[in-house]
PDB file of all heavy atoms in Angstrom:
ATOM      1  N   GLY A  23      50.268 -80.977-146.239  1.00 97.00           N
ATOM      2  CA  GLY A  23      51.589 -81.138-145.639  1.00 97.00           C
ATOM      3  C   GLY A  23      52.067 -82.549-146.250  1.00 97.00           C
ATOM      4  O   GLY A  23      51.361 -83.116-146.981  1.00 97.00           O
ATOM      5  N   ALA A  24      53.149 -82.886-145.715  1.00 94.00           N
ATOM      6  CA  ALA A  24      53.968 -84.082-146.028  1.00 94.00           C
ATOM      7  C   ALA A  24      52.994 -85.380-146.076  1.00 94.00           C
ATOM      8  O   ALA A  24      53.186 -86.183-146.889  1.00 94.00           O
ATOM      9  CB  ALA A  24      55.072 -84.362-145.201  1.00 94.00           C
ATOM     10  N   GLY A  25      52.038 -85.385-145.133  1.00 96.00           N
ATOM     11  CA  GLY A  25      51.106 -86.527-145.121  1.00 96.00           C
ATOM     12  C   GLY A  25      50.432 -86.849-146.365  1.00 96.00           C
ATOM     13  O   GLY A  25      50.114 -88.089-146.563  1.00 96.00           O
ATOM     14  N   GLU A  29      51.229 -91.551-149.242  1.00 97.00           N
ATOM     15  CA  GLU A  29      50.839 -92.668-150.084  1.00 97.00           C
ATOM     16  C   GLU A  29      51.241 -92.658-151.573  1.00 97.00           C
ATOM     17  O   GLU A  29      50.988 -93.499-152.375  1.00 97.00           O
ATOM     18  CB  GLU A  29      49.232 -92.705-150.019  1.00 97.00           C
ATOM     19  CG  GLU A  29      48.625 -93.087-148.715  1.00 97.00           C
ATOM     20  CD  GLU A  29      47.299 -92.525-148.530  1.00 97.00           C
ATOM     21  OE1 GLU A  29      46.249 -93.108-149.021  1.00 97.00           O
ATOM     22  OE2 GLU A  29      47.136 -91.575-147.772  1.00 97.00           O
ATOM     23  N   PHE A  35      58.112 -86.313-142.413  1.00 80.00           N
ATOM     24  CA  PHE A  35      59.366 -86.147-141.754  1.00 80.00           C
ATOM     25  C   PHE A  35      59.337 -86.590-140.152  1.00 80.00           C
ATOM     26  O   PHE A  35      60.352 -87.032-139.708  1.00 80.00           O
ATOM     27  CB  PHE A  35      59.914 -84.692-141.753  1.00 80.00           C
ATOM     28  CG  PHE A  35      60.462 -84.121-142.998  1.00 80.00           C
ATOM     29  CD1 PHE A  35      60.861 -82.942-143.190  1.00 80.00           C
ATOM     30  CD2 PHE A  35      60.729 -85.124-144.101  1.00 80.00           C
ATOM     31  CE1 PHE A  35      61.578 -82.538-144.434  1.00 80.00           C
ATOM     32  CE2 PHE A  35      61.298 -84.804-145.326  1.00 80.00           C
ATOM     33  CZ  PHE A  35      61.786 -83.413-145.353  1.00 80.00           C
ATOM     34  N   ARG A  36      58.080 -86.441-139.626  1.00 75.00           N
ATOM     35  CA  ARG A  36      58.125 -86.653-138.191  1.00 75.00           C
ATOM     36  C   ARG A  36      57.495 -87.874-137.743  1.00 75.00           C
ATOM     37  O   ARG A  36      57.611 -88.224-136.568  1.00 75.00           O
ATOM     38  CB  ARG A  36      57.468 -85.449-137.492  1.00 75.00           C
ATOM     39  CG  ARG A  36      58.198 -84.164-137.610  1.00 75.00           C
ATOM     40  CD  ARG A  36      57.627 -83.000-137.042  1.00 75.00           C
ATOM     41  NE  ARG A  36      58.562 -81.843-137.170  1.00 75.00           N
ATOM     42  CZ  ARG A  36      58.665 -81.163-138.266  1.00 75.00           C
ATOM     43  NH1 ARG A  36      57.997 -81.447-139.316  1.00 75.00           N
ATOM     44  NH2 ARG A  36      59.467 -80.122-138.410  1.00 75.00           N
ATOM     45  N   GLN A 101      52.959 -77.172-148.080  1.00 97.00           N
ATOM     46  CA  GLN A 101      54.251 -77.153-147.496  1.00 97.00           C
ATOM     47  C   GLN A 101      55.226 -78.124-148.316  1.00 97.00           C
ATOM     48  O   GLN A 101      56.228 -78.152-148.086  1.00 97.00           O
ATOM     49  CB  GLN A 101      54.203 -77.707-146.138  1.00 97.00           C
ATOM     50  CG  GLN A 101      53.330 -76.825-145.230  1.00 97.00           C
ATOM     51  CD  GLN A 101      53.329 -77.359-143.736  1.00 97.00           C
ATOM     52  OE1 GLN A 101      54.307 -77.213-143.032  1.00 97.00           O
ATOM     53  NE2 GLN A 101      52.315 -78.178-143.491  1.00 97.00           N
ATOM     54  N   ILE A 103      57.215 -79.973-151.365  1.00 96.00           N
ATOM     55  CA  ILE A 103      58.135 -79.456-152.459  1.00 96.00           C
ATOM     56  C   ILE A 103      58.134 -80.400-153.655  1.00 96.00           C
ATOM     57  O   ILE A 103      58.925 -80.279-154.504  1.00 96.00           O
ATOM     58  CB  ILE A 103      59.649 -79.442-151.828  1.00 96.00           C
ATOM     59  CG1 ILE A 103      60.053 -80.934-151.387  1.00 96.00           C
ATOM     60  CG2 ILE A 103      59.693 -78.482-150.800  1.00 96.00           C
ATOM     61  CD1 ILE A 103      61.589 -81.100-151.283  1.00 96.00           C
ATOM     62  N   ASP A 104      57.146 -81.347-153.638  1.00 96.00           N
ATOM     63  CA  ASP A 104      57.158 -82.456-154.494  1.00 96.00           C
ATOM     64  C   ASP A 104      56.485 -82.253-155.893  1.00 96.00           C
ATOM     65  O   ASP A 104      56.495 -83.241-156.853  1.00 96.00           O
ATOM     66  CB  ASP A 104      56.624 -83.755-153.978  1.00 96.00           C
ATOM     67  CG  ASP A 104      55.303 -83.602-153.311  1.00 96.00           C
ATOM     68  OD1 ASP A 104      54.449 -82.805-153.904  1.00 96.00           O
ATOM     69  OD2 ASP A 104      54.904 -84.274-152.289  1.00 96.00           O
ATOM     70  N   HIS A 119      57.156 -73.854-149.204  1.00 97.00           N
ATOM     71  CA  HIS A 119      58.537 -74.289-148.839  1.00 97.00           C
ATOM     72  C   HIS A 119      59.301 -74.477-150.253  1.00 97.00           C
ATOM     73  O   HIS A 119      60.325 -75.091-150.079  1.00 97.00           O
ATOM     74  CB  HIS A 119      58.498 -75.432-147.998  1.00 97.00           C
ATOM     75  CG  HIS A 119      57.910 -75.020-146.620  1.00 97.00           C
ATOM     76  ND1 HIS A 119      57.525 -76.059-145.851  1.00 97.00           N
ATOM     77  CD2 HIS A 119      57.678 -73.952-145.973  1.00 97.00           C
ATOM     78  CE1 HIS A 119      56.977 -75.441-144.577  1.00 97.00           C
ATOM     79  NE2 HIS A 119      57.140 -74.208-144.761  1.00 97.00           N
ATOM     80  N   GLY A 191      47.074 -83.921-144.031  1.00 97.00           N
ATOM     81  CA  GLY A 191      48.390 -84.474-143.767  1.00 97.00           C
ATOM     82  C   GLY A 191      49.404 -83.413-143.244  1.00 97.00           C
ATOM     83  O   GLY A 191      50.606 -83.635-143.687  1.00 97.00           O
ATOM     84  N   GLY A 193      51.314 -81.928-139.976  1.00 92.00           N
ATOM     85  CA  GLY A 193      51.552 -82.029-138.548  1.00 92.00           C
ATOM     86  C   GLY A 193      51.436 -80.836-137.753  1.00 92.00           C
ATOM     87  O   GLY A 193      51.278 -80.643-136.615  1.00 92.00           O
ATOM     88  N   ASN A 217      43.883 -86.547-141.296  1.00 98.00           N
ATOM     89  CA  ASN A 217      45.132 -86.903-140.774  1.00 98.00           C
ATOM     90  C   ASN A 217      45.073 -88.339-140.225  1.00 98.00           C
ATOM     91  O   ASN A 217      43.904 -88.758-139.846  1.00 98.00           O
ATOM     92  CB  ASN A 217      45.608 -85.971-139.669  1.00 98.00           C
ATOM     93  CG  ASN A 217      47.219 -86.047-139.474  1.00 98.00           C
ATOM     94  OD1 ASN A 217      47.750 -87.135-139.320  1.00 98.00           O
ATOM     95  ND2 ASN A 217      47.757 -84.839-139.531  1.00 98.00           N
ATOM     96  N   ALA A 235      44.731 -90.058-146.025  1.00 98.00           N
ATOM     97  CA  ALA A 235      44.225 -88.979-146.991  1.00 98.00           C
ATOM     98  C   ALA A 235      43.750 -89.559-148.206  1.00 98.00           C
ATOM     99  O   ALA A 235      42.790 -89.084-148.904  1.00 98.00           O
ATOM    100  CB  ALA A 235      45.224 -87.933-147.205  1.00 98.00           C
TER     101      ALA A 235
HETATM  102  P1  NAD B 301      55.178 -83.657-140.864  1.00 64.31           P
HETATM  103  O1  NAD B 301      56.100 -84.724-141.221  1.00 64.31           O
HETATM  104  O2  NAD B 301      55.458 -82.700-139.619  1.00 64.31           O
HETATM  105  O3  NAD B 301      53.738 -84.139-140.631  1.00 64.31           O
HETATM  106  C1  NAD B 301      53.002 -85.075-141.450  1.00 64.31           C
HETATM  107  C2  NAD B 301      51.476 -85.275-141.023  1.00 64.31           C
HETATM  108  O4  NAD B 301      51.035 -86.047-141.882  1.00 64.31           O
HETATM  109  C3  NAD B 301      51.444 -85.905-139.610  1.00 64.31           C
HETATM  110  O5  NAD B 301      50.588 -85.220-138.755  1.00 64.31           O
HETATM  111  C4  NAD B 301      51.039 -87.348-139.916  1.00 64.31           C
HETATM  112  O6  NAD B 301      50.247 -87.787-138.934  1.00 64.31           O
HETATM  113  C5  NAD B 301      50.267 -87.098-141.089  1.00 64.31           C
HETATM  114  N1  NAD B 301      50.181 -88.173-142.030  1.00 64.31           N
HETATM  115  C6  NAD B 301      51.010 -89.159-142.468  1.00 64.31           C
HETATM  116  N2  NAD B 301      50.552 -89.991-143.264  1.00 64.31           N
HETATM  117  C7  NAD B 301      49.277 -89.657-143.667  1.00 64.31           C
HETATM  118  C8  NAD B 301      48.348 -90.295-144.565  1.00 64.31           C
HETATM  119  N3  NAD B 301      48.515 -91.094-145.287  1.00 64.31           N
HETATM  120  N4  NAD B 301      47.216 -89.471-144.703  1.00 64.31           N
HETATM  121  C9  NAD B 301      46.973 -88.340-143.872  1.00 64.31           C
HETATM  122  N5  NAD B 301      47.894 -87.899-142.991  1.00 64.31           N
HETATM  123  C10 NAD B 301      49.031 -88.518-142.872  1.00 64.31           C
HETATM  124  O7  NAD B 301      54.988 -82.864-142.195  1.00 64.31           O
HETATM  125  P2  NAD B 301      54.549 -81.368-142.489  1.00 64.31           P
HETATM  126  O8  NAD B 301      53.676 -80.943-141.369  1.00 64.31           O
HETATM  127  O9  NAD B 301      54.198 -81.186-143.730  1.00 64.31           O
HETATM  128  O10 NAD B 301      55.940 -80.556-142.330  1.00 64.31           O
HETATM  129  C11 NAD B 301      57.293 -81.107-142.479  1.00 64.31           C
HETATM  130  C12 NAD B 301      57.972 -80.217-143.715  1.00 64.31           C
HETATM  131  O11 NAD B 301      58.762 -81.102-144.453  1.00 64.31           O
HETATM  132  C13 NAD B 301      57.174 -79.488-144.710  1.00 64.31           C
HETATM  133  O12 NAD B 301      57.222 -78.216-144.451  1.00 64.31           O
HETATM  134  C14 NAD B 301      57.654 -79.891-146.059  1.00 64.31           C
HETATM  135  O13 NAD B 301      58.313 -78.781-146.526  1.00 64.31           O
HETATM  136  C15 NAD B 301      58.606 -80.911-145.827  1.00 64.31           C
HETATM  137  N6  NAD B 301      58.421 -82.257-146.434  1.00 64.31           N
HETATM  138  C16 NAD B 301      57.865 -82.292-147.707  1.00 64.31           C
HETATM  139  C17 NAD B 301      57.679 -83.534-148.231  1.00 64.31           C
HETATM  140  C18 NAD B 301      57.055 -83.556-149.704  1.00 64.31           C
HETATM  141  O14 NAD B 301      57.349 -82.541-150.462  1.00 64.31           O
HETATM  142  N7  NAD B 301      56.301 -84.617-150.003  1.00 64.31           N
HETATM  143  C19 NAD B 301      57.899 -84.708-147.531  1.00 64.31           C
HETATM  144  C20 NAD B 301      58.438 -84.529-146.223  1.00 64.31           C
HETATM  145  C21 NAD B 301      58.647 -83.373-145.697  1.00 64.31           C
END
Side-chain angles (χ1 to χ4, degrees):
E29 289 156 79
F35 280 180
R36 289 178 183 77
Q101 299 179 80
I103 56 157
D104 56 27
H119 296 161
N217 206 307

